[in-house]
Amino acid sequence: MMVSCSRMMIMSPSSSSSSWRALVLVAAAVLSFSGHVVVAAAAAGHPDYADALAKAILFFQGQRSGRLPPDQAVKWRSNSGLSDGSAANVDLTGGYYDGGDNVKFGFPMAFTTTMLSWGVVEYGGRMRGRVLRDARDAVRWAADYLLRAATATPGVLYVGVGDPDADHRCWERPEDMDTPRAVYSVSASSPGSDVAAETAAALAAASLALRAADPGYSRRLLAAARDVMAFAVRHQGKYSDHVGGDVGAYYASYSGYQDELLWGSAWLLWATRNASYLDYLASLGANDGVDMFSWDNKLAGARVLLSRRALVNGDRRLDAFRRQAEDFICRILPGSPSSTTQYTPGGMMYKSGHANLQYVTSASFLLTTFAKYMAVSNHTFSCQSLPVTTKTLRALARKQVDYILGANPQGMSYMVGYGARFPQRIHHRGASMPSVAAHPAHIGCQEGFSGYFNAGGANPNVHTGAVVGGPDQHDAFPDERGDYDRSEPTTYTNAALVGCLAYFAGNNRS
């Protein structure tokens, strides 16, 4: 059975840049970065961040579920999941498939939405024209689905569509899927504070990201966010303890739900400016030290978000969260006396053997964003004997982004369609099988395995912008379709990367 184990672990277009990549391969130089050997393009400088940004956003079109719009640019995808929600007599069409399968998991989809929205809020000013419109469209595609999931039935939040076990026994295009489209939900009797508070965070963040473009829609999102957050607080419990059908096993809430209550309250504090959220988050006592940020554990993200108010607005009531954000940074900085983070010989941050790049992109986003807040307030701090400045944080984030885009021992971009060399056999059903336009006949569940999954050649469809799970702790990447830990892309990996790329695209010298 093909199960993407990355989900079962705690640690959860413009022109090509081929000229840059060629120079990397020809003129690469080895240099030391805080005791780690990295490959750098000595003559070529940094990659084309604007190109990578456009492609990272385009990726989300390839993950769409539902009826595709007339301006759909990813032509190898077609309509799918058009009856989603019918099992519960509600409309749950739309949204995103989380990775290479055809299930809609509400927990990581909400986190994806929050991170995409945060990227637009912080760095939308560095996006230009079509790129900003596409980023907002990516947010709205998810927000539309989450809004339906939150408001379709009073007192119920729908948190998943599709039987994950049945889905993973098949290798089917989303347009062909004929596995059960079971519907999963949380309610007062089957609570899920984690998924509810994350959904509230997503709706609140999306309301901020879309406020200027569509004020009326933004108000609807924020009203729903308030209601879902109230539900999360009133009916407390882990969703993976209550949701049936094993859906919770794929994205189990290992960290509990205190982190989501903090995260959701932080976003609603920003979006509403209502002091009641400040009082509530101060009462949560979510004080665990962390060295990663993911779809499961939101503590680091919430602390950085709250640092915005502490540093940019000078609200000293939030200094404790700012100090906790700095503790997180000290746990990941190379050379920090309190570092608990491993780096590969090539300089990649390494947290898990399961989709490691999700932790790289999420941490890099927090680094650039905290650096932004530091710059506004002229703030610095120290990790014991190691002084930390905005330059320190941006340099580490840039090293990680450059590694993903090809400045690594393999000389390979881990973003599909970017550069001259990138993964050809990603673990993704739709990308690995011919499109409906090229092969109109239905491709069955097991036929997909025998005819396409087990084929040795490159995928017929280039899933432009998809960032795969990435190399192992030795910088090795075999590019095998069956290796879901390293070869499967996920929406939350890309979502965190969008903001980083927007920052570096808009400021190539810092």
Side-chain angles (χ1 to χ4, degrees):
M1 181 177 69
M2 303 310 299
V3 176
S4 296
C5 293
S6 62
R7 301 164 192 157
M8 303 177 72
M9 303 299 294
I10 297 179
M11 318 307 172
S12 87
S14 51
S15 62
S16 169
S17 304
S18 57
S19 59
W20 177 83
R21 189 66 53 238
L23 282 171
V24 169
L25 296 175
V26 172
V30 177
L31 53 86
S32 172
F33 176 67
S34 299
H36 302 285
V37 177
V38 299
V39 175
H46 295 288
D48 186 341
Y49 299 117
D51 182 35
L53 171 63
K55 289 173 176 173
I57 296 169
L58 181 64
F59 160 77
F60 290 94
Q61 291 196 22
Q63 297 300 117
R64 283 173 169 172
S65 181
R67 189 172 300 281
L68 303 185
D71 63 352
Q72 170 81 6
V74 178
K75 299 300 184 183
W76 51 268
R77 283 298 322 286
S78 300
N79 299 334
S80 63
L82 297 183
S83 63
D84 280 0
S86 61
N89 296 312
V90 293
D91 177 10
L92 295 176
T93 56
Y96 293 120
Y97 304 118
D98 69 301
D101 56 19
N102 301 323
V103 183
K104 294 192 299 204
F105 294 98
F107 195 27
M109 194 193 308
F111 178 67
T112 293
T113 310
T114 309
M115 293 307 297
L116 266 177
S117 299
W118 197 359
V120 171
V121 171
E122 295 287 358
Y123 303 110
R126 294 172 180 263
M127 301 179 190
R128 294 291 178 264
R130 177 62 184 270
V131 171
L132 179 58
R133 291 195 299 273
D134 286 350
R136 285 173 172 161
D137 286 349
V139 170
R140 185 156 187 159
W141 192 269
D144 282 348
Y145 172 84
L146 294 174
L147 187 61
R148 285 193 287 273
T151 60
T153 304
V156 174
L157 172 65
Y158 295 99
V159 300
V161 181
D163 181 327
D165 287 341
D167 179 88
H168 284 78
R169 286 193 291 268
C170 289
W171 194 260
E172 290 181 306
R173 300 178 297 193
E175 294 82 5
D176 287 337
M177 60 184 174
D178 46 18
T179 52
R181 300 301 285 173
V183 173
Y184 305 93
S185 63
V186 295
S187 63
S189 58
S190 299
S193 298
D194 31 31
V195 69
E198 179 60 80
T199 301
L203 292 168
S207 77
L208 289 168
L210 301 175
R211 183 172 286 175
D214 192 337
Y217 181 67
S218 172
R219 287 191 292 271
R220 288 177 58 206
L221 293 176
L222 189 54
R226 287 175 179 269
D227 290 344
V228 177
M229 190 66 206
F231 170 85
V233 173
R234 189 178 305 119
H235 306 293
Q236 295 194 10
K238 285 172 57 174
Y239 95 107
S240 48
D241 289 343
H242 298 99
V243 175
D246 287 333
V247 69
Y250 287 77
Y251 284 102
S253 185
Y254 296 97
S255 67
Y257 54 83
Q258 292 295 102
D259 55 312
E260 278 83 23
L261 292 176
L262 184 70
W263 179 238
S265 298
W267 276 107
L268 278 159
L269 176 63
W270 186 357
T272 67
R273 301 182 183 178
N274 187 321
S276 66
Y277 294 108
L278 178 61
D279 296 337
Y280 180 69
L281 62 88
S283 73
L284 282 170
N287 295 316
D288 292 349
V290 292
D291 63 0
M292 65 170 53
F293 174 44
S294 72
W295 58 262
D296 177 36
N297 194 318
K298 319 296 167 47
L299 287 176
R303 291 162 180 172
V304 169
L305 181 66
L306 292 168
S307 296
R308 181 183 194 277
R309 184 161 171 150
L311 291 171
V312 177
N313 303 114
D315 190 339
R316 295 300 166 224
R317 293 173 295 177
L318 294 165
D319 266 352
F321 296 105
R322 187 261 306 162
R323 289 191 294 271
Q324 289 174 326
E326 292 170 359
D327 176 73
F328 161 75
I329 291 167
C330 290
R331 290 170 185 259
I332 64 173
L333 278 181
S336 166
S338 54
S339 177
T340 55
T341 299
Q342 176 184 352
Y343 285 78
T344 68
M348 176 185 68
M349 190 181 298
Y350 189 76
K351 290 294 180 182
S352 171
H354 306 280
N356 180 67
L357 287 183
Q358 66 175 299
Y359 308 108
V360 175
T361 63
S362 61
S364 297
F365 180 93
L366 295 187
L367 290 170
T368 58
T369 303
F370 195 80
K372 177 184 176 183
Y373 303 158
M374 288 175 64
V376 170
S377 56
N378 294 315
H379 178 71
T380 61
F381 66 97
S382 296
C383 298
Q384 298 179 42
S385 59
L386 179 71
V388 180
T389 66
T390 57
K391 186 176 180 179
T392 310
L393 304 190
R394 289 168 177 162
L396 178 56
R398 189 190 282 270
K399 292 288 184 185
Q400 300 308 301
V401 172
D402 287 2
Y403 184 106
I404 291 170
L405 297 179
N408 57 63
Q410 298 285 337
M412 172 181 280
S413 163
Y414 294 110
M415 175 184 284
V416 175
Y418 179 90
R421 185 166 178 250
F422 51 82
Q424 301 293 312
R425 290 171 286 279
I426 68 171
H427 183 91
H428 191 278
R429 288 157 175 76
S432 69
M433 307 171 76
S435 67
V436 171
H439 189 292
H442 178 90
I443 301 173
C445 170
Q446 295 305 309
E447 183 185 353
F449 281 119
S450 60
Y452 302 98
F453 177 80
N454 293 321
N459 289 347
N461 303 311
V462 177
H463 197 349
T464 300
V467 178
V468 296
D472 66 14
Q473 68 269 37
H474 306 295
D475 300 299
F477 183 79
D479 194 12
E480 295 174 353
R481 192 173 294 115
D483 186 0
Y484 47 79
D485 285 335
R486 286 178 282 187
S487 293
E488 184 174 17
T490 62
T491 55
Y492 39 90
T493 301
N494 268 65
L497 184 61
V498 164
C500 297
L501 291 170
Y503 172 77
F504 290 122
N507 193 350
N508 274 304
R509 288 179 294 181
S510 28

